[in-house]
Amino acid sequence: QVQLVESGGGLVQAGGSLRLSCAASGTIFRINDMGWYRQAPGKQRELVASITSGGATKYVDSVKGRFTISRDNAKNTVYLQMNSLKPEDTAVYYCQLVVITITQLTRYYWGQGTQVTVSS
């Protein structure tokens, strides 16, 4: 079993910064892709940023140049550095990890979600 623990959300004024973390623990052989999603009230969950095991990154257009995703493989942790935050970034942020188990099965795990609120 794998557990994900997110941290780092909160309330910040527009233009401010936050750093989200998502740490995985449990029986893990390898973690492939890691990603951050967000869901605002009344909207569908969207992929904000992703990073492959090789370090290649992708971002949704609305956060390019403001958010940076990174990972620490030794700690099984993914980060999302969010700068120049805007009110429209307000949402619950979820991490997702693609985990390869010791039995070579692919499993998708989600964090519990962390609230990010940006005030104008």
Side-chain angles (χ1 to χ4, degrees):
Q1 189 69 3
V2 175
Q3 296 80 38
L4 272 57
V5 177
E6 295 185 30
S7 61
L11 173 64
V12 64
Q13 289 188 333
S17 298
L18 286 172
R19 188 191 194 207
L20 305 183
S21 299
C22 174
S25 62
T27 306
I28 298 170
F29 177 71
R30 187 176 70 250
I31 300 176
N32 283 349
D33 291 2
M34 300 173 131
W36 287 97
Y37 290 72
R38 68 185 178 186
Q39 187 166 20
K43 295 188 177 181
Q44 289 188 333
R45 189 173 297 189
E46 66 170 348
L47 176 62
V48 176
S50 65
I51 184 167
T52 68
S53 57
T57 59
K58 290 184 179 179
Y59 299 92
V60 68
D61 285 347
S62 59
V63 308
K64 285 180 181 178
R66 300 188 298 121
F67 289 12
T68 302
I69 189 170
S70 61
R71 60 191 287 168
D72 185 332
N73 292 326
K75 296 181 179 180
N76 289 335
T77 299
V78 61
Y79 304 97
L80 186 67
Q81 178 66 44
M82 305 184 294
N83 299 327
S84 303
L85 282 160
K86 304 176 180 180
E88 50 264 42
D89 295 318
T90 296
V92 178
Y93 284 70
Y94 300 90
C95 61
Q96 184 201 57
L97 273 58
V98 181
V99 175
I100 308 301
T101 70
I102 59 173
T103 55
Q104 299 300 295
L105 298 176
T106 300
R107 292 288 181 264
Y108 296 80
Y109 292 96
W110 290 92
Q112 80 277 14
T114 185
Q115 177 70 46
V116 171
T117 303
V118 184
S119 63
S120 58

